[in-house]
Amino acid sequence: LGKETLATLDGHWDEKVMFKDKKTNTSEVLWQVTPEIKNSRLPRYTVPIDEQTEFESARLWQHVSHAIVREDQIGATEEKTKLEEAQRAGYRERDANGVKWVTKLFQEEPGIFIGAEATVPKYVYKNADERPWDPRNDLFQYEQDYEVCTKTRHKTPMIRTQSVVSVLEVSKPERVSSMTRRRKTRELEVSLTRSQDSDTSTPGGAVEPKGRAASKGSMSQMPNIQEALKPLLEEQKKINERIGKLNHSIETVLYQQKEKEGNSNINRDLVLLVLLVVMIQAMLNWVWAERANRAYGPS
């Protein structure tokens, strides 16, 4: 069963992808880039070359890019060599003077190295927004002072998390938000009650300001959101496991049915063969009996 090909995918991701069922030999469109999809793409903006700084990629590598467009391999190699030699010379000069290169837009992740021998430090973009795109709140992305920003409907994003479930669960948004609000309200009330009880039991009669209690309640909101999302994540995990088991069961049943059909055909052919052998044996016995009667019978 594991070696059997159930379906194939064929096509190009930027044009059309076809799904073909090997059992029924039928094909259908799995993905196709339509004019509506092209129009829904985010527009691409680039900064003009003359407005870019000296070490921006488009300006720094412009002569290499022009040679590639002209299909001038020799010219592209020469321009690339010039840039690389200039970078090596700058590195040697900084190393001789004991000057360390300070990055502006990237920062080094301590203790993480990449490359074939894991000797190159890894750098990440300082202003990276790693949360999933939220179609209910995010409008578009733009660049300002070399920083990639996201324009949102609200000043503060509704859910700041790396979980795709939190921003793509469109089918039950109001139910989740209402449960979260009620849970946060209860937690805030309990926090305020506990803080007031602790204030009354403080030695010396000192009373803690209410603003501090409210700030504690606000600080506990983030763990409350995470706790509220845990049941959703666990439920999704269970559903995925059930779907996987169901697919395995269906494939097993189809395989067993196929085996049963094969066995039934073999049994039917075997019965017919046995009947044929019996009939031939009976006919031979009759022929031999007739010959015996003729040979040894009364004259």
Side-chain angles (χ1 to χ4, degrees), residues 88-100:
R88 294 189 183 99
Y91 173 78
R92 289 192 295 266
E93 182 180 358
R94 291 192 302 270
D95 185 60
N97 298 328
V99 178
K100 184 178 180 181

Side-chain angles (χ1 to χ4, degrees), residues 49-101:
I49 297 294
D50 54 352
E51 297 181 8
Q52 296 184 14
T53 59
E54 180 181 1
F55 293 104
E56 289 193 59
S57 297
R59 180 176 177 177
L60 185 64
W61 293 81
Q62 58 179 324
H63 300 297
V64 179
S65 302
H66 293 163
I68 293 175
V69 172
R70 297 193 308 267
E71 298 183 356
D72 184 4
Q73 183 177 0
I74 297 177
T77 304
E78 292 177 351
E79 295 295 336
K80 178 174 177 291
T81 303
K82 292 179 183 179
L83 293 176
E84 292 175 343
E85 289 298 331
Q87 292 175 354
R88 294 189 183 99
Y91 173 78
R92 289 192 295 266
E93 182 180 358
R94 291 192 302 270
D95 185 60
N97 298 328
V99 178
K100 184 178 180 181
W101 179 268

Side-chain angles (χ1 to χ4, degrees), residues 220-244:
S220 63
Q221 291 180 2
M222 184 59 68
N224 295 339
I225 296 176
Q226 296 177 355
E227 290 295 331
L229 291 175
K230 281 184 179 180
L232 295 177
L233 297 175
E234 294 177 356
E235 186 66 23
Q236 185 191 21
K237 184 178 180 181
K238 293 180 180 179
I239 292 175
N240 292 335
E241 293 177 353
R242 292 173 183 173
I243 293 175

Side-chain angles (χ1 to χ4, degrees), residues 110-169:
I112 300 180
F113 298 91
I114 58 177
E117 300 179 358
T119 57
V120 181
K122 181 180 179 181
Y123 287 83
V124 294
Y125 181 57
K126 292 182 180 180
N127 305 309
D129 188 0
E130 298 180 352
R131 67 185 180 89
W133 184 265
D134 188 353
R136 297 172 295 174
N137 189 44
D138 299 334
L139 299 177
F140 57 87
Q141 286 186 322
Y142 61 96
E143 182 268 338
Q144 182 178 4
D145 296 332
Y146 309 104
E147 179 180 349
V148 179
C149 306
T150 303
K151 179 65 176 178
T152 59
R153 291 188 175 91
H154 308 280
K155 293 183 178 180
T156 303
M158 291 181 290
I159 300 176
R160 275 283 182 178
T161 178
Q162 293 186 1
S163 174
V164 181
V165 179
S166 61
V167 295
L168 296 182
E169 282 287 337

